[in-house]
Structures are given as structure tokens and as C-alpha cells.
Amino acid sequence: MRAITNVKLKPKPMTLFYQTNTWTSQPQITEETKKIWEHIVQKKNWRIVQLPNGFYQTEYLDPKKENSWIDVTRRETMEGAESAIDASINHYEKKLAHVRGPQVVKTFK
């Protein structure tokens, strides 16, 4: 086999292929996710546990497993832990309101 020498190669322009997506509507939330959010917004499904290091851990009851708790945050004080629970509940209430769609805030006669 012979090597080809003294051949002038011209560089070819590079072509880049890419794909983009745009949403024509919001991605739909699954029914399972809605059920979890509805479970989380009920304060009766929360608890605060004191850890051996003195910190307080917030947990909510796992809706899929009986007697299983999911840890969420750790705080230095009991008040801080309860405030974190209230903030989480508020956060998921807003998410659920968004999923339900627009709300009528005023009507005219």
C-alpha cells in the first residue's frame, strides 16, 4: 500500500445539528404527584423529631408506606422546625393552586 503525499486537502465546513423544544402548554403533573402534594399540605401528616445532636428534624408521613417517615429539613430550634413545616405546606398549597388553573377573583353584573 502506498502513502499519498503532497495532496492538498480543503477543509469542509462543519455542520452542527441540534434540536430545541418549546412548550405550548405547561407540562402536566401526574395524579400521583398531586396526591403526594395533597398529603403534604395537611399538617397532621408532619412531625418534629429531636436528633441526638440536639437539632430538630421535620418529617412527613410517607403516603406509600405505613409507619414510614420522610425527613425534610433540620433546624436548631423547635420554632424553626415548625416554621419550616409551615413554609413547606404553604409552598405545596401554591403548587396545587397553580395546577388547578386560573381562579375567578372578581365577577361583574
Side-chain angles (χ1 to χ4, degrees), residues 30-47:
T30 65
E31 283 300 316
E32 182 181 351
T33 301
K34 285 182 198 176
K35 287 180 183 178
I36 291 171
W37 291 352
E38 288 167 353
H39 178 79
I40 289 173
V41 298
Q42 298 176 28
K43 199 164 186 175
K44 68 178 184 176
N45 294 321
W46 287 84
R47 73 178 184 183

mmCIF file of all heavy atoms in Angstrom, residues 30-47:
data_model
loop_
_atom_site.group_PDB
_atom_site.id
_atom_site.type_symbol
_atom_site.label_atom_id
_atom_site.label_comp_id
_atom_site.label_asym_id
_atom_site.label_seq_id
_atom_site.Cartn_x
_atom_site.Cartn_y
_atom_site.Cartn_z
ATOM 1 N N THR A 30 -48.585 14.595 37.255
ATOM 2 C CA THR A 30 -49.261 13.307 37.357
ATOM 3 C C THR A 30 -50.201 13.289 38.555
ATOM 4 O O THR A 30 -50.037 14.054 39.507
ATOM 5 C CB THR A 30 -48.240 12.160 37.503
ATOM 6 O OG1 THR A 30 -47.538 12.320 38.744
ATOM 7 C CG2 THR A 30 -47.261 12.141 36.341
ATOM 8 N N GLU A 31 -51.167 12.397 38.518
ATOM 9 C CA GLU A 31 -52.107 12.244 39.627
ATOM 10 C C GLU A 31 -51.372 11.806 40.891
ATOM 11 O O GLU A 31 -51.722 12.222 41.993
ATOM 12 C CB GLU A 31 -53.195 11.229 39.267
ATOM 13 C CG GLU A 31 -54.249 11.772 38.349
ATOM 14 C CD GLU A 31 -54.987 12.976 38.933
ATOM 15 O OE1 GLU A 31 -55.361 12.948 40.126
ATOM 16 O OE2 GLU A 31 -55.171 13.958 38.197
ATOM 17 N N GLU A 32 -50.354 10.991 40.742
ATOM 18 C CA GLU A 32 -49.570 10.536 41.899
ATOM 19 C C GLU A 32 -48.887 11.719 42.594
ATOM 20 O O GLU A 32 -48.905 11.830 43.823
ATOM 21 C CB GLU A 32 -48.528 9.510 41.459
ATOM 22 C CG GLU A 32 -47.704 8.960 42.595
ATOM 23 C CD GLU A 32 -46.659 7.951 42.150
ATOM 24 O OE1 GLU A 32 -46.664 7.540 40.975
ATOM 25 O OE2 GLU A 32 -45.830 7.577 42.995
ATOM 26 N N THR A 33 -48.323 12.617 41.800
ATOM 27 C CA THR A 33 -47.676 13.800 42.366
ATOM 28 C C THR A 33 -48.699 14.683 43.080
ATOM 29 O O THR A 33 -48.436 15.182 44.177
ATOM 30 C CB THR A 33 -46.963 14.599 41.259
ATOM 31 O OG1 THR A 33 -45.988 13.758 40.642
ATOM 32 C CG2 THR A 33 -46.292 15.835 41.807
ATOM 33 N N LYS A 34 -49.884 14.863 42.482
ATOM 34 C CA LYS A 34 -50.930 15.654 43.119
ATOM 35 C C LYS A 34 -51.323 15.055 44.467
ATOM 36 O O LYS A 34 -51.518 15.782 45.447
ATOM 37 C CB LYS A 34 -52.166 15.739 42.227
ATOM 38 C CG LYS A 34 -52.030 16.673 41.061
ATOM 39 C CD LYS A 34 -53.349 16.695 40.307
ATOM 40 C CE LYS A 34 -53.173 17.232 38.916
ATOM 41 N NZ LYS A 34 -54.414 17.169 38.133
ATOM 42 N N LYS A 35 -51.454 13.723 44.523
ATOM 43 C CA LYS A 35 -51.828 13.060 45.770
ATOM 44 C C LYS A 35 -50.771 13.272 46.844
ATOM 45 O O LYS A 35 -51.102 13.495 48.009
ATOM 46 C CB LYS A 35 -52.051 11.561 45.537
ATOM 47 C CG LYS A 35 -53.329 11.255 44.805
ATOM 48 C CD LYS A 35 -53.504 9.770 44.597
ATOM 49 C CE LYS A 35 -54.758 9.498 43.784
ATOM 50 N NZ LYS A 35 -54.929 8.065 43.520
ATOM 51 N N ILE A 36 -49.502 13.220 46.461
ATOM 52 C CA ILE A 36 -48.419 13.455 47.425
ATOM 53 C C ILE A 36 -48.490 14.887 47.941
ATOM 54 O O ILE A 36 -48.388 15.133 49.146
ATOM 55 C CB ILE A 36 -47.051 13.144 46.800
ATOM 56 C CG1 ILE A 36 -46.914 11.635 46.558
ATOM 57 C CG2 ILE A 36 -45.909 13.651 47.669
ATOM 58 C CD1 ILE A 36 -45.703 11.234 45.746
ATOM 59 N N TRP A 37 -48.676 15.860 47.041
ATOM 60 C CA TRP A 37 -48.770 17.261 47.453
ATOM 61 C C TRP A 37 -49.970 17.475 48.376
ATOM 62 O O TRP A 37 -49.876 18.196 49.365
ATOM 63 C CB TRP A 37 -48.876 18.170 46.241
ATOM 64 C CG TRP A 37 -47.629 18.243 45.410
ATOM 65 C CD1 TRP A 37 -46.401 17.708 45.710
ATOM 66 C CD2 TRP A 37 -47.479 18.888 44.151
ATOM 67 N NE1 TRP A 37 -45.511 17.989 44.698
ATOM 68 C CE2 TRP A 37 -46.141 18.713 43.734
ATOM 69 C CE3 TRP A 37 -48.341 19.595 43.329
ATOM 70 C CZ2 TRP A 37 -45.656 19.221 42.542
ATOM 71 C CZ3 TRP A 37 -47.860 20.101 42.139
ATOM 72 C CH2 TRP A 37 -46.526 19.919 41.752
ATOM 73 N N GLU A 38 -51.111 16.863 48.044
ATOM 74 C CA GLU A 38 -52.300 16.992 48.884
ATOM 75 C C GLU A 38 -52.063 16.374 50.260
ATOM 76 O O GLU A 38 -52.596 16.848 51.262
ATOM 77 C CB GLU A 38 -53.509 16.361 48.194
ATOM 78 C CG GLU A 38 -53.987 17.179 47.011
ATOM 79 C CD GLU A 38 -54.967 16.444 46.120
ATOM 80 O OE1 GLU A 38 -55.196 15.233 46.333
ATOM 81 O OE2 GLU A 38 -55.497 17.088 45.188
ATOM 82 N N HIS A 39 -51.269 15.349 50.326
ATOM 83 C CA HIS A 39 -50.907 14.706 51.590
ATOM 84 C C HIS A 39 -49.989 15.623 52.406
ATOM 85 O O HIS A 39 -50.168 15.784 53.616
ATOM 86 C CB HIS A 39 -50.215 13.363 51.289
ATOM 87 C CG HIS A 39 -49.755 12.620 52.484
ATOM 88 N ND1 HIS A 39 -50.603 11.883 53.278
ATOM 89 C CD2 HIS A 39 -48.522 12.498 53.036
ATOM 90 C CE1 HIS A 39 -49.912 11.340 54.252
ATOM 91 N NE2 HIS A 39 -48.649 11.697 54.133
ATOM 92 N N ILE A 40 -49.033 16.247 51.736
ATOM 93 C CA ILE A 40 -48.045 17.093 52.411
ATOM 94 C C ILE A 40 -48.678 18.354 52.990
ATOM 95 O O ILE A 40 -48.239 18.848 54.026
ATOM 96 C CB ILE A 40 -46.893 17.440 51.438
ATOM 97 C CG1 ILE A 40 -46.036 16.192 51.183
ATOM 98 C CG2 ILE A 40 -46.023 18.555 51.977
ATOM 99 C CD1 ILE A 40 -44.974 16.386 50.122
ATOM 100 N N VAL A 41 -49.711 18.897 52.356
ATOM 101 C CA VAL A 41 -50.288 20.160 52.834
ATOM 102 C C VAL A 41 -51.133 19.994 54.090
ATOM 103 O O VAL A 41 -51.573 20.988 54.672
ATOM 104 C CB VAL A 41 -51.110 20.892 51.733
ATOM 105 C CG1 VAL A 41 -50.234 21.271 50.570
ATOM 106 C CG2 VAL A 41 -52.307 20.090 51.314
ATOM 107 N N GLN A 42 -51.339 18.774 54.546
ATOM 108 C CA GLN A 42 -52.080 18.539 55.788
ATOM 109 C C GLN A 42 -51.087 18.450 56.944
ATOM 110 O O GLN A 42 -50.262 17.541 56.989
ATOM 111 C CB GLN A 42 -52.897 17.259 55.688
ATOM 112 C CG GLN A 42 -53.945 17.305 54.599
ATOM 113 C CD GLN A 42 -54.676 15.995 54.471
ATOM 114 O OE1 GLN A 42 -54.805 15.248 55.423
ATOM 115 N NE2 GLN A 42 -55.140 15.706 53.269
ATOM 116 N N LYS A 43 -51.189 19.363 57.871
ATOM 117 C CA LYS A 43 -50.214 19.440 58.967
ATOM 118 C C LYS A 43 -50.226 18.188 59.847
ATOM 119 O O LYS A 43 -49.218 17.847 60.456
ATOM 120 C CB LYS A 43 -50.451 20.692 59.811
ATOM 121 C CG LYS A 43 -49.239 21.067 60.645
ATOM 122 C CD LYS A 43 -49.326 22.469 61.171
ATOM 123 C CE LYS A 43 -48.026 22.853 61.864
ATOM 124 N NZ LYS A 43 -48.042 24.250 62.282
ATOM 125 N N LYS A 44 -51.352 17.474 59.877
ATOM 126 C CA LYS A 44 -51.433 16.253 60.691
ATOM 127 C C LYS A 44 -50.473 15.161 60.188
ATOM 128 O O LYS A 44 -50.172 14.225 60.907
ATOM 129 C CB LYS A 44 -52.859 15.718 60.728
ATOM 130 C CG LYS A 44 -53.344 15.173 59.389
ATOM 131 C CD LYS A 44 -54.741 14.622 59.485
ATOM 132 C CE LYS A 44 -55.142 13.994 58.161
ATOM 133 N NZ LYS A 44 -56.452 13.375 58.230
ATOM 134 N N ASN A 45 -49.981 15.298 58.953
ATOM 135 C CA ASN A 45 -49.056 14.310 58.388
ATOM 136 C C ASN A 45 -47.591 14.656 58.647
ATOM 137 O O ASN A 45 -46.703 14.026 58.094
ATOM 138 C CB ASN A 45 -49.295 14.167 56.884
ATOM 139 C CG ASN A 45 -50.653 13.569 56.593
ATOM 140 O OD1 ASN A 45 -51.106 12.678 57.291
ATOM 141 N ND2 ASN A 45 -51.319 14.077 55.574
ATOM 142 N N TRP A 46 -47.331 15.648 59.483
ATOM 143 C CA TRP A 46 -45.974 16.088 59.804
ATOM 144 C C TRP A 46 -45.633 15.777 61.254
ATOM 145 O O TRP A 46 -46.521 15.660 62.099
ATOM 146 C CB TRP A 46 -45.851 17.593 59.586
ATOM 147 C CG TRP A 46 -45.831 17.992 58.146
ATOM 148 C CD1 TRP A 46 -46.917 18.196 57.345
ATOM 149 C CD2 TRP A 46 -44.686 18.242 57.335
ATOM 150 N NE1 TRP A 46 -46.517 18.558 56.087
ATOM 151 C CE2 TRP A 46 -45.145 18.602 56.056
ATOM 152 C CE3 TRP A 46 -43.319 18.201 57.567
ATOM 153 C CZ2 TRP A 46 -44.281 18.908 55.013
ATOM 154 C CZ3 TRP A 46 -42.463 18.514 56.533
ATOM 155 C CH2 TRP A 46 -42.945 18.858 55.277
ATOM 156 N N ARG A 47 -44.346 15.687 61.525
ATOM 157 C CA ARG A 47 -43.869 15.586 62.898
ATOM 158 C C ARG A 47 -42.476 16.199 62.999
ATOM 159 O O ARG A 47 -41.791 16.380 61.986
ATOM 160 C CB ARG A 47 -43.851 14.137 63.390
ATOM 161 C CG ARG A 47 -42.749 13.281 62.795
ATOM 162 C CD ARG A 47 -42.787 11.893 63.371
ATOM 163 N NE ARG A 47 -41.677 11.084 62.867
ATOM 164 C CZ ARG A 47 -41.485 9.821 63.161
ATOM 165 N NH1 ARG A 47 -42.342 9.189 63.960
ATOM 166 N NH2 ARG A 47 -40.459 9.164 62.682
#
